[in-house]
């Protein structure tokens, strides 16, 4: 309950700013403020998900060998949203230095993790997907990422992009978040079946 209250405490000012922007009365300063506050909100939300999952999940039913892959797959959901946010900020010249640095770092981590999840990276403790459904789910995310990555790179390089391409990045980052959520569920189910 304390975590939910803390999340609500940090969400309220961001929601107020978001409503101002949605109403067409927001400024670039409002958007910059939302972007700066979003990192803490995202971190609190991520911790809350872990706490809630811990309360309702039988931790002994998930194999330890799969826990790392599940955590990495779960992190991909957050990273795709961070990529979307920083792409939009950078394209609109809002907090450009911060957005450029975060976009470069987040894109690199996202792609490296996606590759490791798909093919395995045993030296880092990441096993290949335990079944074809998980492999296909990760392949779907790779396909989406491959489609949007050139636009993200163009934005990062300071090249102008078509508004439709920017919208496609936003929509496809949301799609990757949903697809990774499905993959996390499949990992958890496969792990429990293996016990």
């Amino acid at each position: 309950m304390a975590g939910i209250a803390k999340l609500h405490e940090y969400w309220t000012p961001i929601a107020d700013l978001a409503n101002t922007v949605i109403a067409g009365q927001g400024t670039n300063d409002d958007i910059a403020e939302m972007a700066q506050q979003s990192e803490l909100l995202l971190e609190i939300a991520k911790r809350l998900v872990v706490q809630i999952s811990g309360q309702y999940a039988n931790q002994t039913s998930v194999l330890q060998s799969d826990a790392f892959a599940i955590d990495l797959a779960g992190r991909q959901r957050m990273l795709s949203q961070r990529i979307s946010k920083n792409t939009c900020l950078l394209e609109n010249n809002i907090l450009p230095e911060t957005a450029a640095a975060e976009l470069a770092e987040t894109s690199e981590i996202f792609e490296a993790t996606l590759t490791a999840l798909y093919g395995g990276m045993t030296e880092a403790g990441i096993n290949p997907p335990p079944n074809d459904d998980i492999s296909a789910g990760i392949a779907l995310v790779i396909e989406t990422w491959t489609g949007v990555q050139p636009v993200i790179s163009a934005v990062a390089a300071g090249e102008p992009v078509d508004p439709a391409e920017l919208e496609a990045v936003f929509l496809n980052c949301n799609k990757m978040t949903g697809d990774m959520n499905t993959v996390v569920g499949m990992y958890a189910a496969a792990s429990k079946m293996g016990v």
Side-chain angles (χ1 to χ4, degrees):
M1 293 304 292
I4 292 170
K6 182 64 77 176
L7 186 65
H8 188 269
E9 174 188 334
Y10 283 97
W11 168 245
T12 300
I14 294 176
D16 291 343
L17 286 170
N19 288 330
T20 300
V21 171
I22 290 168
Q25 300 168 349
T27 66
N28 281 354
D29 288 341
D30 292 331
I31 295 169
E33 182 64 26
M34 284 182 359
Q36 290 171 333
Q37 290 183 29
S38 70
E39 286 303 312
L40 181 57
L41 182 70
L42 189 57
E43 188 59 37
I44 292 169
K46 187 174 77 171
R47 289 180 189 171
L48 185 58
V49 167
V50 171
Q51 289 172 346
I52 290 171
S53 297
Q55 291 296 317
Y56 292 100
N58 180 357
Q59 298 297 319
T60 60
S61 68
V62 176
L63 294 175
Q64 183 63 35
S65 61
D66 294 334
F68 187 47
I70 291 170
D71 183 53
L72 290 175
R75 183 182 69 173
Q76 292 293 88
R77 299 174 295 193
M78 175 195 63
L79 294 176
S80 65
Q81 291 303 296
R82 191 174 282 161
I83 289 167
S84 177
K85 176 191 83 171
N86 285 302
T87 300
C88 290
L89 288 173
L90 195 54
E91 179 62 16
N92 289 286
N93 200 33
I94 299 171
L95 302 172
E97 291 177 10
T98 302
E102 286 185 9
L103 181 59
E105 178 184 13
T106 304
S107 296
E108 184 178 324
I109 293 169
F110 183 85
E111 187 165 332
T113 303
L114 201 56
T115 301
L117 286 169
Y118 186 68
M121 186 180 284
T122 52
E123 63 275 15
I126 304 168
N127 293 326
N131 62 48
D132 291 341
D133 289 339
I134 294 172
S135 185
I138 297 169
L140 185 61
V141 177
I142 290 171
E143 181 181 332
T144 303
W145 172 248
T146 301
V148 299
Q149 198 275 335
V151 178
I152 293 166
S153 292
V155 170
E159 300 170 13
V161 299
D162 184 271
E165 292 178 311
L166 194 61
E167 182 180 3
V169 168
F170 172 77
L171 294 173
N172 280 300
C173 282
N174 285 342
K175 181 182 183 316
M176 289 188 297
T177 298
D179 290 342
M180 285 309 302
N181 195 56
T182 301
V183 167
V184 169
M186 289 190 293
Y187 262 116
S191 182
K192 290 177 182 179
M193 290 189 327
V195 172

